[in-house]
Amino acid sequence: MKQTTRKKAAWTVVSVALLGLVAPLAQAPAAAAAAPRSSLRWSACQDGGPDPRRLCATVRVPMDYGDPGGPTVDIAVSRVPAENPAGRRGALLLIPGGPGGSSLGDPSGKGRKLPREVRDRYDLIGFAPRGLAPSTSVSCGLAQEDLALTRLRPWPAPDGSIDGNMATARRTARACARNGGALLRHISTVNEARDIDRVRAALGERRISAWGVSYGTYVGAVFTQLFPHRADRVVLDSNDDPDPARLSRAWLAGYETGAEDTFPEFAAWASAPGSPVRLAAAASEVRPLFLRLAARLDRDPIPWPGANPPRLDGNVLRQTMLDSFYAPQSRFPVLARLMRAALDGTPLPPAPAPPSREQQQNLAAVAAATLCNDVAWPSSSVDYRGAVAESRAAHPLTAGMPRNAMLCAAWPYPPGRPVRITGSGSSRVLMVQNRRDVATPLSGALRLREALGDRAVMVVVDSTGHGAYLANGNACGDRTVSRFLATGARPGQDAYCG
């Protein structure tokens, strides 16, 4: 990585012991913050969650920030108050991944995992981004078969052809234009960052802290760039490549590296003598076994009732691999059991239960609008064929999907202008990143680290999975992030949690 900061290296490896040597930020910790004057009217949440402390409200924002007096949309927000009002610092916004994720339930869900010293200091705030129910919602009205993840992700045909992908892109983009309504063209990362600032103002907070995960790291980075004086302590967890020329194309391409980084961990697990589902006697045998099985399923799929599509083919197996690599402890067995059944000719495990049709439509529309409105995608199949062929040769695990054409190749609306992440902005940023992450690989995270320059510190965690802090990371990384949120102290330089 290029040298862009005053530090000797953008990723300095230090021992775990040195992580105790933390440097305070330039700003001294603020005194306990009095409860702000909020303009929101809090009431019981419609989802009927079990936590009585969590209340919900609505923030009204412009649909088009270029026309602030025009139509508006609603943003649903939730809150669990700080557990120690006398020590309260402010609000911690939980920025969801996706795009298409919601954090509305997170103040009661993953918020419970936060240590007491963090819960004491912050009101925990969740929200459903624009377009996602129960905020003002959108739908593309896609056909059921186009809601399959192997259609939404552009897996090429077994022979590498992308003609079917281009046809799917045109068909689904037309459906979005026909059914999505005016809001669809105003769903973007920039507008989500603007919505966050409106939420901050409605909460009555002068500044707001944030914990963004996955796609939420890019949202958080854009927020700190656009509203540096409104950002307090910001944690970016499992970080997206901020390349302003590619954005979502770079995120999709990251699966190549992420799968290659993670597969050896799966191979070691699936070949260990004590593994609950042992696929091979040696780790070196697992990769060729997977590739042979995927190729066989390309030629001869197995019926899989209840799945979408209702068969196990090579691309469904490959997509299951990517899904399983997000959370090794809970999902490695899912992939291994599916492979074992397909290899042995025994009944396949039950297909995963999908969300409701309405939820699938809503999530697919928000994800598509964000990915396609943020940055321009090539529209000609010529721009994808060579890249897919090159990807298939270099990364057979992902079979060319990461460089293929999504529906953005036929998106009917012009994209916005991406925000370039720079070293100018809020200087209270802590990045945390697993070394092996299928969806947001370390290589992309290092590019965000480079872009942020001196205003960020990055902690790399020697762990596998997507989501580091309080998820698939380790105790060292968790302590470092918790200390930063609770006290404002972070490592004096980039660090490594072994």
Side-chain angles (χ1 to χ4, degrees), residues 24-34 85-91 121-122 205-207 209 232-233 428 484-489:
L25 300 174
Q27 292 80 6
R88 181 186 180 279
R89 176 182 178 83
R121 297 284 272 158
Y122 297 98
E205 300 288 345
R206 186 171 63 87
R207 296 187 304 182
S209 294
D232 194 9
R233 298 169 184 167
R428 296 176 292 275
F484 170 67
L485 289 173
T487 71

Side-chain angles (χ1 to χ4, degrees), residues 388-462:
V388 167
E390 181 181 326
S391 178
R392 287 169 64 85
H395 304 284
L397 290 173
T398 46
M401 182 276 292
R403 299 195 214 176
N404 203 358
M406 295 184 69
L407 81 167
C408 302
W411 196 243
Y413 309 118
R417 179 177 297 177
V419 172
R420 181 178 294 276
I421 305 303
T422 73
S424 299
S426 171
S427 60
R428 296 176 292 275
V429 178
L430 177 65
M431 300 172 64
V432 60
Q433 175 72 35
N434 286 341
R435 283 192 66 184
R436 296 166 295 278
D437 185 326
V438 67
T440 56
L442 177 59
S443 54
L446 288 169
R447 295 187 186 101
L448 179 58
R449 172 68 189 90
E450 181 178 22
L452 289 168
D454 283 344
R455 63 191 183 101
V457 171
M458 180 169 172
V459 177
V460 175
V461 181
D462 187 15

Side-chain angles (χ1 to χ4, degrees), residues 134-498:
S135 298
T136 303
S137 63
V138 294
S139 171
C140 287
L142 301 180
Q144 178 65 22
E145 58 269 21
D146 286 331
L147 290 171
L149 197 49
T150 48
R151 286 280 183 88
L152 296 172
R153 296 273 173 83
W155 292 97
D159 63 357
S161 168
I162 68 167
D163 292 344
N165 303 115
M166 294 300 295
T168 297
R170 290 189 291 269
R171 181 177 62 254
T172 52
R174 283 196 300 267
C176 287
R178 183 171 61 249
N179 303 316
L183 175 56
L184 198 72
R185 68 188 67 187
H186 298 291
I187 295 174
S188 67
T189 301
V190 170
N191 281 342
E192 184 170 335
R194 291 166 173 155
D195 292 345
I196 287 173
D197 195 54
R198 293 295 181 108
V199 169
R200 174 205 58 77
L203 291 168
E205 300 288 345
R206 186 171 63 87
R207 296 187 304 182
I208 194 166
S209 294
W211 171 19
V213 181
S214 190
Y215 165 69
T217 63
Y218 181 62
V219 177
V222 170
F223 178 75
T224 68
Q225 195 75 47
L226 296 180
F227 304 99
H229 55 299
R230 299 303 187 189
D232 194 9
R233 298 169 184 167
V234 176
V235 173
L236 304 180
D237 175 356
S238 306
N239 297 269
D240 269 326
D241 186 337
D243 181 352
R246 295 192 305 156
L247 285 186
S248 47
R249 292 177 62 203
W251 307 339
L252 190 68
Y255 280 107
E256 288 178 345
T257 304
E260 297 288 353
D261 289 347
T262 306
F263 199 94
E265 299 297 307
F266 172 72
W269 177 90
S271 60
S275 174
V277 189
R278 197 176 187 200
L279 296 175
S284 60
E285 299 172 5
V286 178
R287 182 186 177 103
L289 180 68
F290 176 87
L291 293 173
R292 287 196 302 271
L293 177 59
R296 192 193 89 192
L297 292 170
D298 282 337
R299 299 187 301 270
D300 188 17
I302 300 173
W304 198 8
N308 185 17
R311 63 185 179 275
L312 175 62
D313 59 23
N315 284 338
V316 171
L317 181 69
R318 295 178 185 103
Q319 183 60 56
T320 303
M321 172 196 67
L322 296 185
D323 295 343
S324 298
F325 285 1
Y326 275 65
Q329 289 191 353
S330 61
R331 299 194 199 174
F332 274 4
V334 173
L335 174 60
R337 291 190 186 104
L338 188 63
M339 291 179 63
R340 184 80 276 162
L343 289 164
D344 294 346
T346 57
L348 300 179
S356 71
R357 176 78 178 271
E358 184 180 13
Q359 289 175 310
Q360 291 181 70
Q361 291 281 9
N362 187 202
L363 190 155
V366 173
T370 308
L371 297 175
C372 303
N373 287 335
D374 268 9
V375 70
W377 285 59
S379 59
S380 171
S381 59
V382 174
D383 294 304
Y384 297 102
R385 284 199 179 96
V388 167
E390 181 181 326
S391 178
R392 287 169 64 85
H395 304 284
L397 290 173
T398 46
M401 182 276 292
R403 299 195 214 176
N404 203 358
M406 295 184 69
L407 81 167
C408 302
W411 196 243
Y413 309 118
R417 179 177 297 177
V419 172
R420 181 178 294 276
I421 305 303
T422 73
S424 299
S426 171
S427 60
R428 296 176 292 275
V429 178
L430 177 65
M431 300 172 64
V432 60
Q433 175 72 35
N434 286 341
R435 283 192 66 184
R436 296 166 295 278
D437 185 326
V438 67
T440 56
L442 177 59
S443 54
L446 288 169
R447 295 187 186 101
L448 179 58
R449 172 68 189 90
E450 181 178 22
L452 289 168
D454 283 344
R455 63 191 183 101
V457 171
M458 180 169 172
V459 177
V460 175
V461 181
D462 187 15
S463 292
T464 304
H466 186 56
Y469 181 48
L470 305 178
N472 299 297
N474 65 21
C476 163
D478 290 351
R479 284 194 305 269
T480 306
V481 176
S482 295
R483 183 188 296 119
F484 170 67
L485 289 173
T487 71
R490 61 182 180 180
Q493 59 184 350
D494 291 351
Y496 181 71
C497 273

